[in-house]
Amino acid sequence: MTFADAIFAVVVRAQYQSMAIDSHVDRDSLGALRLPYSGNLTQSAARKLIEQQAAVLVDVRTAEERRFVGYVPGSLHLPWLVGPSMQPNPRFVSELEAKVPKYAIVLFLCRSGARPVAAATAAARAGFRHVYNILEGFEGDLDQSGYCGSRNGWRFRGLRWV
């Protein structure tokens, strides 16, 4: 099966499961903030959509973060920031458009849940209709000592990663 075939299969399943998203969107932040993208999903909602193959997970962290910290199997890697000065990836939207249909459900993940806000905003402005930030990110918020991974996040919650 090609990547395009896999994405198409995800989208077809998503059409039948779109109501499942509504019950897991953080509606308080969506309504209060008037987000320019579809919303913020909890870790458990994201996990369910991924397990059901109803969404495409896009990891917007750097290649180094994925290599040295870990990643979610099956995720699409498309860094939001690039280069030594960590500037926005000028090819982000065009690469996303080349790999994911605009009608797909797209979940964005980074270390703590901050970069996906910018990525989801850019994707929504480019015409993607169902783009979500995964709250808490892969490693979660910093603790009192300045370390991440001990308070919340994908790994902290014991979700699948390598």
Short mmCIF file of all heavy atoms in Angstrom, two decimals, residues 5 12 23 50 55 71 84 91 94 106 126 130 150-151 162:
data_model
loop_
_atom_site.label_atom_id
_atom_site.label_comp_id
_atom_site.label_asym_id
_atom_site.label_seq_id
_atom_site.Cartn_x
_atom_site.Cartn_y
_atom_site.Cartn_z
N ASP A 5 -2.37 5.83 -0.66
CA ASP A 5 -3.46 4.90 -0.40
C ASP A 5 -3.80 4.86 1.09
O ASP A 5 -4.97 4.81 1.47
CB ASP A 5 -3.11 3.49 -0.86
CG ASP A 5 -3.01 3.36 -2.37
OD1 ASP A 5 -3.64 4.18 -3.08
OD2 ASP A 5 -2.28 2.46 -2.84
N VAL A 12 -11.29 8.17 4.49
CA VAL A 12 -12.58 7.48 4.37
C VAL A 12 -13.09 7.07 5.74
O VAL A 12 -14.25 7.30 6.07
CB VAL A 12 -12.46 6.25 3.43
CG1 VAL A 12 -13.69 5.38 3.51
CG2 VAL A 12 -12.22 6.71 2.01
N SER A 23 -16.60 15.22 20.66
CA SER A 23 -16.69 14.99 22.09
C SER A 23 -15.34 15.12 22.79
O SER A 23 -15.30 15.14 24.01
CB SER A 23 -17.28 13.60 22.37
OG SER A 23 -16.40 12.59 21.89
N ILE A 50 -5.84 8.04 16.31
CA ILE A 50 -4.68 7.39 15.68
C ILE A 50 -4.88 5.87 15.65
O ILE A 50 -4.64 5.22 14.64
CB ILE A 50 -3.38 7.78 16.40
CG1 ILE A 50 -3.11 9.28 16.16
CG2 ILE A 50 -2.20 6.93 15.93
CD1 ILE A 50 -2.10 9.87 17.10
N ALA A 55 -7.03 9.61 11.59
CA ALA A 55 -6.33 10.90 11.48
C ALA A 55 -4.88 10.66 11.10
O ALA A 55 -4.34 9.58 11.30
CB ALA A 55 -6.42 11.65 12.81
N TYR A 71 9.62 9.11 19.20
CA TYR A 71 8.53 9.56 18.33
C TYR A 71 7.41 8.54 18.36
O TYR A 71 7.56 7.43 18.85
CB TYR A 71 9.02 9.79 16.90
CG TYR A 71 9.60 8.55 16.24
CD1 TYR A 71 8.80 7.70 15.49
CD2 TYR A 71 10.95 8.23 16.41
CE1 TYR A 71 9.33 6.56 14.91
CE2 TYR A 71 11.48 7.09 15.82
CZ TYR A 71 10.67 6.27 15.07
OH TYR A 71 11.19 5.13 14.50
N PRO A 84 19.84 26.19 12.13
CA PRO A 84 20.46 26.46 13.43
C PRO A 84 19.77 27.59 14.19
O PRO A 84 19.80 27.63 15.42
CB PRO A 84 21.90 26.83 13.09
CG PRO A 84 21.94 27.05 11.62
CD PRO A 84 20.76 26.39 11.02
N ARG A 91 8.95 25.71 3.65
CA ARG A 91 8.30 24.70 2.81
C ARG A 91 7.25 23.90 3.58
O ARG A 91 6.71 22.92 3.06
CB ARG A 91 9.35 23.76 2.24
CG ARG A 91 10.33 24.43 1.29
CD ARG A 91 11.37 23.48 0.74
NE ARG A 91 12.05 22.66 1.73
CZ ARG A 91 13.09 23.05 2.48
NH1 ARG A 91 13.59 24.25 2.34
NH2 ARG A 91 13.65 22.23 3.33
N SER A 94 3.74 23.66 1.77
CA SER A 94 3.82 22.94 0.49
C SER A 94 4.14 21.46 0.71
O SER A 94 3.60 20.60 0.01
CB SER A 94 4.85 23.58 -0.44
OG SER A 94 6.14 23.54 0.12
N VAL A 106 -6.01 16.16 10.60
CA VAL A 106 -4.57 16.27 10.84
C VAL A 106 -4.34 16.67 12.29
O VAL A 106 -4.88 17.69 12.75
CB VAL A 106 -3.92 17.29 9.89
CG1 VAL A 106 -2.40 17.29 10.07
CG2 VAL A 106 -4.28 17.00 8.44
N ALA A 126 -4.07 27.60 4.86
CA ALA A 126 -3.79 27.03 3.53
C ALA A 126 -4.96 26.19 3.01
O ALA A 126 -4.88 25.62 1.93
CB ALA A 126 -2.52 26.17 3.59
N HIS A 130 -9.55 20.32 8.91
CA HIS A 130 -9.65 19.62 10.19
C HIS A 130 -8.25 19.48 10.79
O HIS A 130 -7.63 18.42 10.70
CB HIS A 130 -10.28 18.23 10.00
CG HIS A 130 -11.55 18.26 9.23
ND1 HIS A 130 -12.73 18.76 9.75
CD2 HIS A 130 -11.85 17.91 7.95
CE1 HIS A 130 -13.69 18.66 8.84
NE2 HIS A 130 -13.17 18.16 7.74
N SER A 150 7.89 14.72 33.24
CA SER A 150 7.49 14.21 34.55
C SER A 150 6.12 14.71 34.99
O SER A 150 5.64 14.30 36.05
CB SER A 150 8.53 14.61 35.60
OG SER A 150 8.59 16.02 35.73
N ARG A 151 5.48 15.57 34.20
CA ARG A 151 4.18 16.12 34.60
C ARG A 151 3.05 15.66 33.70
O ARG A 151 1.94 15.37 34.16
CB ARG A 151 4.24 17.64 34.60
CG ARG A 151 5.18 18.18 35.66
CD ARG A 151 5.24 19.67 35.64
NE ARG A 151 3.92 20.23 35.93
CZ ARG A 151 3.60 21.48 35.71
NH1 ARG A 151 4.47 22.30 35.18
NH2 ARG A 151 2.41 21.93 35.99
N VAL A 162 8.39 5.11 20.33
CA VAL A 162 9.66 4.39 20.23
C VAL A 162 10.80 5.38 20.33
O VAL A 162 10.64 6.56 20.12
CB VAL A 162 9.80 3.59 18.92
CG1 VAL A 162 8.79 2.45 18.88
CG2 VAL A 162 9.63 4.46 17.70
#
